[in-house]
Amino acid sequence: MNAVSRRSALKAGLAGAALAAPAVASAQQTFNWKMTSAYGKGAPFYMDGPGSATDLAKRIDAMSGGRLKIQVFGAGELVPAFEGFDAVRAGTVEMNHANSYFWTGKTAAAQYFTAVPFGMNFQGMNGWFYDGGGLELWNEVYAPFGMIALPCGNTGVQMTGWFKKEITSVADLKGLKMRIPGLAGKVYASLGVDVKVLPGGEIFPALERGVIDAAEFVGPFQDRRLGLHKAAKFYHTTGWHEPATVSELLINKAAWMKLPKDLQAIVENASAACNVISEAWCQKHNSEAMEDLIKNQGVTAKPLPDAVIKALRAETDKVLAEAVAKDPMTKKVHESYMAFKAKYDRWSEVSEEAYHIKVRG
Ligand code: CA
C-alpha cells in the first residue's frame, strides 16, 4: 500500500468511525410501540402463554434491555379483530399479531403464508420460510402496503372442526352453515357449504344458537376453551385445511427502518423463538385436551370419510388454479410454495413420514 492509499484508507476509517457515532447514540434510543391482535385478550397461544403475542413483547423487552417496549392490545381493545392490517398500514400501530389469511381480501397471495389446504406441515413451512425463499416472498407481497412480516407462531396441524351432525358423505356438506376462514372456506363453498367468517370469540354463541351448524377454530385445547364441544359433539380430526397454521407478526416498514440493526435482530430472533415455542406448547396442551374431550366430555372424534377428503382435494386444486390465474403475485408465490413442497414431500416420505408410519409403529 502506498502513502496515498494508506491516507485514504485512514480517512475512510475515520469517516466510518464518524458515521458510527450517531449509530451508538441511536442505540441508546428507546422505542414505544403498539401491537394489536386478531384474538381477544387472554386467548391462550395467541395472547397468553409461551410463544404468544404478550410473550413475544416480553422477550423483546428483555433482550433489548427495555429499549423496545411493545404494548399489546387484544382484538377490540384498540381496533376490531380484522382491522390490524389497515392499522399497521396506516401506522396507527407498528405491529399486528394475527394470521395472514385474514388479509386475502387485500392481497390474495397472503393465504400461502398461513396455511394451504393439503399443503406443508410445520417443518416444511419453516423450511420454505427460512431457507426456501418464503420469507422474501412474503415481504414482496406486502411491499406495496409498506409492511413486512415474520412467522411468530404455529398451531401445528389443526382439526377439521365441530359438527352438530357427523359428516358421512359429500352430500352432507350441502347447505351446511360453517365458520371457516381462508381458502378452505372457498373450497367448502364450492361443495355447497354456506361459509361464515367469524372472529374466535363469536364462534361459540353462533354454534350454540344454531346460526351455524359447524365450525373450525384451532385444535383441542383452544376449541375446548371456547366451549365448542358443548354446542356440537362430532369432532372431525386431522385438518386437511390447515396443516400448520402460521401466526403472523405484521410490521410497519417505515417504523421498522427506524429501528437500529440490533433491535431489528432482536425482533427477528424473538419471533423465531416464539414460532418454535408456541408450537411446542400446542403439542403438550392438545394431547391432554384431546384425551379429556373423548374420555370425559362425550365427544366423538373421527377423521372425515375418504370420499369427502378426495372431493375436498379436487376442489382445492380447482380453487388454487383459479387464484393463480387471477393474480400474478399469487402465481409467483404458488410456484415457489409448490416447488418447495414437491421436494420436501419426497424427502419427508423417506424421513419424517416413514418414521411415523413404518418405523415407530
Ligand atoms: Ca383454524
Side-chain angles (χ1 to χ4, degrees):
M1 194 185 275
N2 62 32
V4 174
S5 58
R6 245 194 317 270
R7 267 200 306 276
S8 32
L10 184 66
K11 214 172 152 189
L14 286 174
L19 279 174
V24 171
S26 79
Q28 302 312 317
Q29 198 181 340
T30 58
F31 295 82
N32 289 290
W33 280 19
K34 293 186 182 79
M35 185 204 292
T36 45
S37 170
Y39 297 91
K41 202 175 176 177
F45 174 81
Y46 295 106
M47 288 293 288
D48 259 354
S52 67
T54 47
D55 187 39
L56 177 63
K58 267 187 218 157
R59 285 169 193 273
I60 292 170
D61 188 1
M63 282 194 260
S64 69
R67 286 164 51 224
L68 178 51
K69 291 212 174 288
I70 300 164
Q71 202 182 350
V72 183
F73 298 89
E77 286 192 283
L78 207 57
V79 300
F82 296 146
E83 289 184 19
F85 186 95
D86 288 336
V88 175
R89 187 182 181 183
T92 316
V93 299
E94 289 81 6
M95 290 175 158
N96 185 68
H97 193 279
N99 307 101
S100 63
Y101 65 4
F102 293 134
W103 324 131
T104 48
K106 314 273 183 190
T107 176
Q111 169 74 42
Y112 288 79
F113 308 103
T114 301
V116 175
F118 300 100
M120 287 188 278
N121 65 4
F122 180 59
Q123 289 153 314
M125 282 302 280
N126 285 334
W128 182 55
F129 279 139
Y130 296 123
D131 293 297
L135 201 45
E136 286 83 356
L137 274 174
W138 201 352
N139 289 328
E140 194 179 327
V141 168
Y142 287 160
F145 304 95
M147 299 192 282
I148 60 165
L150 291 167
C152 65
N154 200 301
T155 63
V157 64
Q158 297 204 352
M159 293 287 105
T160 293
W162 298 88
F163 297 77
K164 285 186 186 276
K165 281 189 209 157
E166 184 181 351
I167 300 298
T168 57
S169 70
V170 179
D172 290 344
L173 295 174
K174 205 163 174 59
L176 190 81
K177 294 192 287 291
M178 181 172 183
R179 182 269 180 186
I180 174 140
L183 205 59
K186 284 192 184 142
V187 174
Y188 273 125
S190 64
L191 290 173
V193 173
D194 181 1
V195 171
K196 314 278 182 197
V197 180
L198 304 171
E202 293 175 25
I203 304 173
F204 174 74
L207 191 60
E208 197 191 28
R209 291 202 314 268
V211 175
I212 51 176
D213 312 305
E216 78 81 48
F217 183 45
V218 181
F221 188 91
Q222 278 108 320
D223 293 2
R224 185 183 60 179
R225 183 176 173 270
L226 293 190
L228 301 185
H229 60 291
K230 292 178 186 156
K233 287 294 179 194
F234 283 97
Y235 200 20
H236 284 299
T237 51
T238 312
W240 62 276
H241 65 304
E242 295 187 34
T245 308
V246 179
S247 301
E248 171 191 77
L249 180 64
L250 191 60
I251 308 169
N252 179 286
K253 194 166 181 186
W256 176 255
M257 297 308 284
K258 286 183 196 149
L259 289 184
K261 291 269 179 266
D262 65 329
L263 291 186
Q264 290 181 346
I266 285 169
V267 173
E268 286 168 353
N269 282 283
S271 298
C274 287
N275 188 26
V276 173
I277 290 164
S278 64
E279 200 268 349
W281 182 93
C282 288
Q283 298 306 333
K284 177 187 186 283
H285 288 77
N286 282 332
S287 57
E288 289 170 0
M290 192 64 165
E291 202 168 296
D292 172 56
L293 286 169
I294 296 168
K295 278 193 185 160
N296 310 318
Q297 315 285 343
V299 167
T300 301
K302 54 165 76 171
L304 284 172
D306 291 346
V308 175
I309 291 288
K310 201 177 160 193
L312 289 165
R313 186 188 288 273
E315 287 306 316
T316 296
D317 290 345
K318 276 190 225 165
V319 168
L320 288 175
E322 279 166 21
V324 163
K326 262 192 230 162
D327 174 38
M329 184 51 83
T330 300
K331 182 171 187 282
K332 189 173 178 181
V333 175
H334 178 92
E335 283 170 359
S336 166
Y337 182 100
M338 291 303 169
F340 192 91
K341 181 181 178 295
K343 274 191 207 154
Y344 175 71
D345 285 351
R346 288 194 293 273
W347 162 237
S348 183
E349 271 168 33
V350 296
S351 58
E352 295 292 339
E353 276 175 57
Y355 172 75
H356 287 297
I357 298 165
K358 295 179 185 148
V359 177
R360 187 193 59 187

